[in-house]
Amino acid sequence: YYYTHTRKFPILIAEINNDLTAIPFLKLWDKESMVSDFNNIYYGVSSGKFTRKYLVTTNYKGIDYRIAYRDDDYKFLWSVYNNKLIISSTISGFQILIDKLKELE
């Protein structure tokens, strides 16, 4: 569990052992209840509401991620990259993390 430099935007990172199993599960969870299940990630930092109840796919440097927008500058996004599940509440924090992970390759 990390915060960005401002300590305002939380980011979760989890190691994945088998992305062939994890990704289909995450996609199913995404369709069902992922956004509402992670609502507590914003506890104490955001009282905004999601602008829609579903996520859309976007791409950063060849890495797809799923994102939902809140009405107060916070986001909910998730991606799997380099055997890591990344869940972020900010696009810039996610992009910085991806850039750092790419440097380590």
Side-chain angles (χ1 to χ4, degrees), residues 28-42:
L28 179 62
W29 187 13
D30 179 319
K31 288 180 186 177
E32 298 295 325
S33 64
M34 185 181 276
V35 171
S36 62
D37 290 346
F38 276 96
N39 232 357
N40 286 336
I41 194 173
Y42 306 99

Side-chain angles (χ1 to χ4, degrees), residues 29-97:
W29 187 13
D30 179 319
K31 288 180 186 177
E32 298 295 325
S33 64
M34 185 181 276
V35 171
S36 62
D37 290 346
F38 276 96
N39 232 357
N40 286 336
I41 194 173
Y42 306 99
Y43 183 76
V45 296
S46 170
S47 59
K49 305 291 183 216
F50 283 103
T51 57
R52 47 182 106 118
K53 295 185 188 274
Y54 59 91
L55 292 96
V56 294
T57 301
T58 309
N59 189 288
Y60 177 70
K61 294 188 176 180
I63 299 163
D64 286 340
Y65 63 92
R66 302 276 293 153
I67 186 166
Y69 297 89
R70 293 174 76 96
D71 61 9
D72 64 352
D73 196 33
Y74 283 86
K75 283 65 170 177
F76 175 82
L77 64 94
W78 74 268
S79 181
V80 173
Y81 176 68
N82 203 13
N83 294 325
K84 290 169 184 50
L85 168 62
I86 302 165
I87 296 172
S88 180
S89 60
T90 173
I91 294 173
S92 60
F94 171 76
Q95 291 173 341
I96 290 167
L97 179 62

